[in-house]
Amino acid sequence: MSGIDDGCSRVEALEKKVDQLMSQLAAMAGKNGQTSPEASHPVSNDTDSSHEPELASTEIAAMLDAAQDPSHGPDPPTGSVLEDRPSIVDRGLLSEAEAERLIATFQFDLVPKFPFVLLGHGETAARLRNREPFLFLCVVAASMGSAHPLRKIVTEEIMNHVTLRIVAGSERSLELLRGLLVHSAWYTYPAERYHPRFLLLIQFCVSILYDLGLHKTSSPNTDEQRALLGTFWLSVG
């Protein structure tokens, strides 16, 4: 019985700590003019005032003040920091004909093996790169393979988007998620399954998915459904 008694005492101690924290948060919220959470424990509904002295109230106050500090950075952008950047086709690195061939290769050869990112029927390279430049880059990189002479250049362009848009700009969009899914599914440089960069790309997929709220969307469209399934498949596979 001593083990049960010890367990009960630990539960009671934890409940007291929760009560103390709830009381402190309620007091701090009141000082800031916010709606106060219930001070009583949600299970025990204990409103007894015989709690231990408040713990670390100065630390909680500092955390609330820090949350108001504008130095944390601006809100995530609604557009792309690279939206005016010329594409690899516009810069003459890749011909229009080669771009169209690579898009067709992706649609007919790669999609059946990784059916989580589809391109619309009759989609062209010109429309895709104008509408979703990051997804276009990732599709091109996947279709050309690691031996293609432009593979390294295209991969560097992809990582430039990742660095400036996802990391520095905190940009989140379905286009970025779909592009990362394609790039991760056909990641071949370096050709190591557990290379840190590969794992980082998958972590970005999971992060963007959660930030977009796709895991709790009640009526996702087809692209969102496939992105959700693709992220799950990559993260557990």
Side-chain angles (χ1 to χ4, degrees):
M1 295 294 294
S2 60
I4 297 177
D5 293 338
D6 291 342
C8 292
S9 63
R10 284 196 294 270
V11 170
E12 291 175 356
L14 288 173
E15 288 180 345
K16 287 185 177 181
K17 297 298 183 184
V18 170
D19 288 339
Q20 292 168 2
L21 290 174
M22 292 294 290
S23 298
Q24 293 173 45
L25 288 173
M28 295 306 303
K31 291 179 181 179
N32 286 275
Q34 301 171 354
T35 302
S36 300
E38 292 296 332
S40 60
H41 190 277
V43 176
S44 66
N45 198 32
D46 181 12
T47 56
D48 181 32
S49 60
S50 59
H51 295 306
E52 296 178 12
E54 289 187 355
L55 299 176
S57 59
T58 55
E59 285 82 356
I60 294 179
M63 291 171 63
L64 291 173
D65 290 341
Q68 309 298 324
D69 190 343
S71 65
H72 291 302
D75 293 332
T78 56
S80 170
V81 68
L82 295 178
E83 59 186 354
D84 295 327
R85 181 178 176 82
S87 70
I88 56 176
V89 175
D90 297 329
R91 281 145 52 196
L93 299 174
L94 189 71
S95 68
E96 288 275 5
E98 179 70 356
E100 294 294 349
R101 185 189 70 79
L102 292 171
I103 294 298
T105 298
F106 176 80
Q107 290 178 305
F108 291 107
D109 297 340
L110 275 64
V111 168
K113 299 175 182 177
F114 186 75
F116 301 112
V117 178
L118 302 184
L119 300 182
H121 179 71
E123 182 67 275
T124 65
R127 284 201 299 265
L128 182 62
R129 74 172 183 268
N130 288 330
R131 187 182 68 252
E132 299 177 280
F134 181 68
L135 179 57
F136 168 76
L137 280 172
C138 295
V139 167
V140 165
S143 302
M144 64 176 39
S146 58
H148 195 285
L150 288 179
R151 168 71 186 196
K152 187 174 184 296
I153 293 176
V154 177
T155 301
E156 290 175 349
E157 186 80 1
I158 289 172
M159 294 311 299
N160 191 33
H161 276 256
V162 170
T163 301
L164 294 178
R165 297 177 65 182
I166 298 176
V167 179
S170 300
E171 185 181 338
R172 299 292 186 265
S173 69
L174 186 60
E175 179 215 356
L176 289 172
L177 176 56
R178 279 156 48 87
L180 284 176
L181 287 175
V182 171
H183 192 54
S184 300
W186 301 100
Y187 183 81
T188 56
Y189 179 78
E192 297 178 15
R193 183 179 180 185
Y194 299 109
H195 190 274
R197 180 185 287 182
F198 174 61
L199 299 179
L200 180 62
L201 293 174
I202 295 177
Q203 290 171 356
F204 280 143
C205 289
V206 174
S207 174
I208 293 175
L209 183 143
Y210 273 90
D211 288 343
L212 293 176
L214 299 186
H215 61 298
K216 56 183 179 182
T217 301
S218 58
S219 55
N221 61 37
T222 302
D223 288 341
E224 291 172 339
Q225 289 178 342
R226 290 180 179 272
L228 176 61
L229 292 173
T231 302
F232 174 77
W233 188 88
L234 280 177
S235 62
V236 302

